């Protein structure tokens, strides 16, 4: 009756072992480390650099404990772990000196950081390597920024671009139009006749389905007003937020922040949390920095090449290097800037199927680009990215033919990954919409440590208090419940570590709340077993029916609570979502530990005994015989202690 099949015991045991393994890294703490990342968008940190860094550290007699390469999207990072801060500081200086030979133009950011101090055998697990949870800003200290994105400015720029596109479209289709201008958040076109307006409306509806067109008349003029649909506005705003977040990720990476939190808040705000960063001025400088994009012509004439070989730069030209370090002479005259670039996406050449980058220019940029390409077929055009006043050539393709329509394709000997990187670089040339810092807060590391200590102690003392009470009240079954609580806490921490969740103060509160809810399930089970004993069931029957009948109540109460948690997760943000994540996971683990884990203990302990005469579940209160149906008498007599201790 109370016997689990072997596979259920194995399932519980496997869950226990996995929980232990993935919870352990949280108790090892962190070790001092040095992080090497790219300081420029055109510089990449690759796995090949690991050996170079190892040689630098060996030459400086600073052998590291370990070196790790990590990839986050297209950004690579190398981290070097040490045992003490003295070696960490010396290694940082040695690497900074060796990698950044020109201090005025650093290629790499060498920053101090912390790494999990997990033992080597954990790292040998490779993909399954257990990692500790990340600590949020309120537990580790750092800087919090709230950035306001100027959506009105983004939409204004979008309507300016639309006005240019409409002019080009009407001109290409030879539809006469007197004027096209942006008026607030709309584009107004003026026509001489109603027939021209009708033709323009039909043409634009097929070319620009995102526009909602409305006809009107004013003083004998035939007007056509175009506005973006709600879906198009939302798409433009989401694109602006997404591009700004991507740009902020690139910039915070240079600060050496291990786990920055950059996420959208509402429709037009971005939260940036930098745990461990105390230099607010440096952080604000990095977040406010704007990279710029320029397109110029390359001078490959024999005289220019001869001057380049002699190490001189002719008048009117400037010397830059490409991504492979080769020098290139480009003209000073700027043809286009990043303001004329609307989008850049990686793709493939439809004819050769080779990887390529597709650029979309605005109307002004399209006209300029068409004229320049028509006059310079066979010459090279350089795309330069400027950061910190230093420019580098991203790519310098040869112009094969006149390019009009604002759709530009960059192709050549590049892989799909390089095409994606180039598109990312071009998109990161500038922010999609201007931003301003509307809130900033600094949390000191001592306050974070204090928060950790208070959260840990409150959870520990609460757990001890519950354990003492439930063991005294339910005896052996109280011990089972306490072990079930420990199992639940272990599983919850393991799942959070597996998901690499960021633990914050609300998350600790959710853990404490989960313990309270988990003990509620155990109380329900124990009381149902007591009720079965009170009704005359044998101990084996009471255990079996107690678990089965309590399951429905446990499921109902946890499902309703889970719905609330999912609602918080769906509609909340920031700390509310952090609380909701831990809360929802805690409900699932508590149900598993209470129903399966505790049942496994009870079955293992009592299920093997064929002639079980009593179980240790505390005092079972029984009504006096013959008083059933008399409510008042039963209530009084049930208060008397029966000696029916099973």
């Amino acid at each position: 009756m109370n016997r689990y099949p072997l596979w259920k015991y194995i399932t519980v045991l496997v869950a226990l072992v996995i929980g232990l393994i993935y919870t352990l890294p949280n108790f090892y703490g962190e070790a001092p480390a040095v992080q090497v990342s790219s300081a420029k968008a055109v510089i990449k940190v690759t796995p090949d650099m690991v050996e170079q860094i190892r040689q630098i550290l060996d030459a400086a007699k600073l052998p590291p404990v370990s070196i790790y390469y990590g990839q986050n999207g297209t950004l690579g990072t190398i981290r070097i772990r040490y045992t003490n801060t003295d070696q960490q500081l010396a290694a940082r200086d040695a690497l900074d000196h060796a990698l950044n030979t020109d201090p005025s133009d650093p290629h790499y950011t060498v920053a101090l950081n912390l790494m999990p101090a997990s033992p080597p055998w954990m790292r040998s697990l490779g993909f399954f390597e257990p990692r500790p949870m990340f600590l949020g800003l309120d537990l580790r200290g750092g800087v919090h920024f709230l950035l306001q994105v100027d959506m009105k400015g983004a939409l204004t720029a979008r309507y300016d671009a639309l006005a240019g596109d409409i002019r080009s479209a009407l001109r290409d289709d030879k539809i006469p139009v007197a004027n096209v201008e942006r008026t607030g958040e709309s584009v107004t076109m003026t026509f001489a006749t109603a027939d021209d307006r009708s033709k323009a409306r039909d043409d634009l509806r097929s070319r620009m389905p995102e526009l909602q067109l409305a006809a009107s008349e004013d003083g004998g003029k035939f007007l056509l007003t175009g506005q973006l649909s709600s879906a198009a506005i939302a798409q433009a705003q989401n694109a602006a937020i997404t591009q700004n977040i991507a740009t902020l990720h690139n910039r915070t990476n240079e600060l050496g922040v291990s786990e920055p939190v950059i996420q959208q808040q509402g429709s037009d705000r971005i939260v940036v949390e930098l745990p461990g960063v105390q230099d607010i001025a440096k952080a604000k400088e990095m977040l406010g920095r704007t990279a710029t994009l320029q397109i110029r012509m390359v001078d490959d004439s024999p005289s220019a090449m001869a001057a380049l070989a002699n190490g001189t730069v002719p008048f009117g030209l400037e010397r830059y290097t490409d991504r492979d370090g080769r020098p290139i002479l480009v003209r000073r005259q700027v043809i286009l800037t990043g303001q004329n670039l609307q989008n850049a996406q990686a793709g493939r050449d439809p004819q050769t199927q080779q990887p390529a980058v597709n650029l979309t220019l605005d109307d002004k940029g399209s006209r300029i680009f068409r004229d320049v390409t028509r006059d310079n077929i066979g010459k090279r055009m350089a795309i330069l990215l400027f950061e910190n006043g230093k420019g580098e050539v991203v790519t310098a393709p040869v112009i094969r033919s006149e390019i009009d329509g604002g759709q530009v394709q960059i192709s050549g000997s590049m892989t799909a990954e390089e095409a994606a990187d180039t598109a990312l670089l071009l998109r990161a040339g500038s922010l999609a919409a201007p931003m301003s810092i509307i809130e900033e807060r600094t949390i000191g590391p001592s306050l974070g440590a204090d928060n950790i200590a208070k959260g840990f102690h409150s959870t520990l003392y609460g757990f001890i208090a519950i354990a003492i009470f439930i063991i005294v009240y339910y005896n052996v079954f109280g011990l089972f419940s306490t072990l079930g609580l420990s199992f639940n806490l272990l599983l919850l921490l393991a799942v959070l570590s597996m998901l690499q969740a960021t633990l914050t103060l609300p998350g600790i509160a959710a853990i404490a709340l989960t313990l309270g809810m988990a003990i509620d399930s155990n109380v329900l089970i124990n009381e149902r077993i007591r009720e079965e004993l009170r009704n005359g069931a044998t101990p084996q029957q009471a255990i079996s029916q107690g678990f089965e009948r309590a399951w429905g109540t446990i499921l109902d109460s946890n499902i309703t609570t889970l719905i609330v948690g999912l609602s918080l997760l769906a509609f909340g943000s920031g700390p509310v979502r952090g609380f909701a994540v831990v809360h929802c996971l805690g409900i699932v683990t508590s149900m598993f530990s209470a129903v399966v884990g505790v049942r496994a203990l009870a079955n293992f302990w009592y299920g093997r005994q064929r002639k079980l005469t009593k179980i240790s579940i505390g005092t079972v209160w029984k009504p006096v015989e013959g008083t059933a149906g008399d409510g008042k008498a039963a209530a009084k007599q049930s208060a008397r202690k029966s000696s029916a201790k099973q």
Side-chain angles (χ1 to χ4, degrees):
M1 181 180 294
N2 292 311
R3 292 184 179 181
Y4 261 173
L6 182 60
W7 68 268
K8 281 196 175 182
Y9 285 117
I10 293 177
T11 301
V12 174
L13 187 61
V14 168
L16 178 65
V17 172
I18 292 177
L20 273 173
I21 291 176
Y22 280 89
T23 302
L24 275 179
N26 296 287
F27 297 97
Y28 281 101
E30 294 178 313
V34 179
Q35 175 175 303
V36 178
S37 56
S38 171
K40 294 185 176 182
V42 294
I43 299 293
K44 293 187 67 176
V45 175
T46 61
D48 300 336
M49 282 192 63
V50 171
E51 187 57 31
Q52 179 189 0
I53 287 177
R54 192 184 296 278
Q55 291 176 0
I56 294 172
L57 295 175
D58 289 342
K61 298 182 179 178
L62 293 167
V65 174
S66 52
I67 300 180
Y68 305 97
Y69 173 80
Q71 186 84 24
N72 184 10
T74 59
L75 303 176
T77 302
I78 294 176
R79 296 178 184 178
I80 307 104
R81 196 173 82 174
Y82 282 95
T83 55
N84 57 67
T85 54
D86 292 338
Q87 289 183 324
Q88 178 197 29
L89 293 172
R92 190 269 309 268
D93 295 340
L95 289 173
D96 194 24
H97 179 73
L99 295 177
N100 296 319
T101 53
D102 182 3
S104 62
D105 183 25
H107 288 190
Y108 300 95
T109 298
V110 183
L112 303 178
N113 211 323
L114 295 172
M115 286 188 65
S118 306
W121 68 267
M122 288 188 178
R123 298 190 177 280
S124 65
L125 297 178
F127 179 77
F128 299 101
E129 175 193 346
R131 300 173 186 274
M133 290 179 285
F134 297 122
L135 298 180
L137 192 68
D138 50 359
L139 298 181
R140 196 180 183 190
V143 189
H144 166 98
F145 292 111
L146 181 61
L147 304 172
Q148 176 78 46
V149 181
D150 183 7
M151 289 301 182
K152 188 176 181 181
L155 285 179
T156 300
R158 176 69 177 136
Y159 276 108
D160 284 334
L162 272 177
D165 294 342
I166 290 173
R167 289 191 201 98
S168 298
L170 297 179
R171 183 171 58 247
D172 293 343
D173 293 335
K174 299 180 180 178
I175 299 175
V177 57
N179 187 31
V180 179
E181 62 179 359
R182 178 182 61 82
T183 309
E185 294 188 353
S186 64
V187 179
T188 303
M189 294 152 273
T190 306
F191 299 89
T193 65
D195 186 51
D196 291 341
R197 184 179 63 184
S198 298
K199 291 180 180 176
R201 182 170 53 191
D202 296 340
D203 184 67
L204 294 178
R205 276 178 177 170
S206 61
R207 282 175 171 260
M208 303 176 183
E210 71 274 19
L211 272 184
Q212 294 177 337
L213 300 169
S216 61
E217 295 183 16
D218 183 17
K221 297 180 180 177
F222 298 91
L223 305 179
L224 187 62
T225 304
Q227 285 186 311
L228 288 171
S229 62
S230 301
I233 291 175
Q235 185 180 7
Q237 291 178 337
N238 288 334
I241 286 280
T242 303
Q243 183 170 335
N244 281 16
I245 287 177
T247 305
L248 289 173
H249 268 294
N250 294 338
R251 294 176 181 177
T252 53
N253 184 62
E254 298 176 21
L255 288 170
V257 182
S258 58
E259 292 302 328
V261 176
I262 302 174
Q263 59 188 11
Q264 182 176 350
Q265 185 178 78
S267 60
D268 58 354
R269 293 182 176 181
I270 298 174
V271 172
V272 179
E273 293 184 349
L274 308 175
V277 172
Q278 303 300 316
D279 190 346
I280 299 179
K282 178 77 176 292
K284 291 174 70 174
E285 177 189 345
M286 297 295 290
L287 295 180
R289 199 189 69 196
T290 301
T292 57
L293 185 74
Q294 293 185 0
I295 298 179
R296 304 189 195 182
M297 291 304 301
V298 178
D299 192 339
D300 287 327
S301 62
S303 59
M305 298 306 294
L308 184 63
N310 294 329
T312 60
V313 179
F315 179 75
L317 302 179
E318 289 183 336
R319 182 181 184 277
Y320 293 98
T321 56
D322 62 10
R323 299 173 71 177
D324 295 327
R326 293 172 297 195
I328 295 177
L329 289 177
V330 301
R331 299 189 181 280
R332 289 181 179 274
Q333 181 184 4
V334 178
I335 298 173
L336 293 172
T337 67
Q339 294 179 346
N340 303 113
L341 180 66
Q342 287 186 338
N343 195 10
Q345 293 291 337
R348 289 188 177 275
D349 189 314
Q351 296 180 349
T352 64
Q353 295 300 314
Q354 293 294 319
V357 180
N358 300 312
L359 308 181
T360 303
L361 301 175
D362 61 9
D363 184 61
K364 179 183 176 182
S366 301
R367 290 197 304 273
I368 296 173
F369 202 80
R370 179 190 59 196
D371 297 340
V372 171
T373 53
R374 182 184 59 213
D375 299 337
N376 294 279
I377 293 175
K379 298 180 181 178
R380 288 202 296 164
M381 177 180 285
I383 298 176
L384 296 99
L385 192 68
F386 285 82
E387 290 183 298
N388 294 328
K390 301 289 183 181
E392 291 181 87
V393 177
V394 177
T395 182
V398 178
I399 301 171
R400 302 295 183 190
S401 62
E402 176 184 333
I403 302 173
D404 58 1
Q407 300 296 326
V408 183
Q409 185 182 82
I410 302 173
S411 58
S413 56
M414 66 174 75
T415 64
E417 183 182 0
E418 289 172 340
D421 290 347
T422 303
L424 178 64
L425 291 176
L426 297 178
R427 288 199 303 271
S430 60
L431 295 171
M435 295 186 299
S436 58
I437 298 175
I438 60 174
E439 178 185 313
E440 65 178 64
R441 284 182 287 145
T442 303
I443 299 175
S446 58
L447 180 60
D450 189 46
N451 287 336
I452 293 176
K454 287 182 178 178
F456 177 77
H457 289 151
S458 60
T459 305
L460 177 65
Y461 297 151
F463 181 85
I464 293 175
I466 289 175
I468 292 174
F469 174 78
I470 203 166
I471 289 175
V472 170
Y473 197 69
Y474 290 113
N475 299 345
V476 172
F477 268 83
L479 180 61
F480 292 162
S481 300
T482 303
L483 294 175
L485 280 182
S486 305
F487 187 40
N488 175 36
L489 186 60
L490 193 70
L491 288 181
L492 179 57
L493 294 179
V495 172
L496 291 173
S497 300
M498 288 179 188
L499 298 177
Q500 288 289 276
T502 300
L503 184 65
T504 61
L505 208 53
I508 293 180
I511 292 176
L513 180 62
T514 298
L515 288 178
M517 294 182 60
I519 196 61
D520 185 52
S521 300
N522 286 276
V523 168
L524 279 173
I525 293 171
N526 294 340
E527 287 301 325
R528 290 296 299 184
I529 294 175
R530 278 185 168 187
E531 186 176 345
E532 296 300 327
L533 291 172
R534 191 179 299 122
N535 292 335
T538 63
Q540 293 286 13
Q541 290 174 335
I543 294 174
S544 175
Q545 294 175 4
F547 275 100
E548 291 178 3
R549 293 177 179 176
W551 164 242
T553 308
I554 294 171
L555 182 64
D556 290 345
S557 63
N558 282 283
I559 288 294
T560 52
T561 311
L562 185 62
I563 291 173
V564 175
L566 292 175
S567 301
L568 292 175
L569 190 62
F571 301 107
S573 62
V576 176
R577 287 177 63 88
F579 176 87
V581 168
V582 180
H583 179 65
C584 292
L585 292 176
I587 290 173
V588 176
T589 56
S590 71
M591 291 175 68
F592 178 78
S593 60
V595 177
V596 179
V598 176
R599 180 73 186 271
L601 286 172
N603 286 356
F604 182 78
W605 191 258
Y606 288 115
R608 297 173 301 168
Q609 304 180 32
R610 295 183 177 179
K611 296 182 179 179
L612 183 65
T613 56
K614 64 178 181 180
I615 57 176
S616 177
I617 196 169
T619 303
V620 179
W621 303 88
K622 287 186 176 180
V624 178
E625 294 289 342
T627 57
D630 188 346
K632 293 182 180 179
K636 291 178 181 178
Q637 292 174 3
S638 64
R640 301 172 187 170
K641 180 182 293 185
S642 172
S643 59
K645 192 173 183 179
Q646 302 297 316

